[in-house]
Amino acid sequence: MIIRKLILLISLLLLLLIPFVGMQYSNEVKWSLNDFIIMGVILLSFGIIINKIIYHVGAFKKRVILISTLIILFFLLWGELAVGLFNSPFAGS
């Protein structure tokens, strides 16, 4: 149980290192501290939910459907926050 949580946190940090390193080498990557916090919370939440689905949903087909739906939801949320796919008030520019 602890190992799974540790793997999840290490994966989260490695994913957040990608834009951090990009900021060091390019002026086109402009993330603020809020961006890192928001994406960290989103990634951690989705990681925990996927972990719960894997270990608590019995049927394989149901697991695949739930995780696929969650991944699509993640990409829609990410796209909205990044560029404003749906023109919501909290969309990126």
Side-chain angles (χ1 to χ4, degrees), residues 10-62:
I10 290 172
S11 301
L12 170 73
L13 290 175
L14 288 175
L15 284 172
L16 288 175
L17 269 176
I18 295 170
F20 181 75
V21 170
M23 288 172 47
Q24 309 307 312
Y25 293 103
S26 173
N27 291 330
E28 293 182 16
V29 181
K30 298 175 186 172
W31 279 37
S32 67
L33 179 62
N34 287 338
D35 294 328
F36 282 100
I37 291 171
I38 290 169
M39 197 51 153
V41 168
I42 291 171
L43 285 171
L44 185 62
S45 300
F46 278 83
I48 290 171
I49 294 169
I50 287 175
N51 195 23
K52 294 282 184 193
I53 290 171
I54 288 172
Y55 290 103
H56 294 295
V57 175
F60 179 74
K61 276 186 171 180
K62 195 172 182 181

Side-chain angles (χ1 to χ4, degrees), residues 75-89:
F75 281 121
L76 286 173
L77 180 61
W78 182 26
E80 176 61 26
L81 291 174
V83 295
L85 292 174
F86 307 111
N87 294 323
S88 67

Side-chain angles (χ1 to χ4, degrees), residues 53 59-72:
I53 290 171
F60 179 74
K61 276 186 171 180
K62 195 172 182 181
R63 251 189 269 166
V64 169
I65 290 170
L66 288 172
I67 291 174
S68 299
T69 304
L70 200 61
I71 290 171
I72 290 168

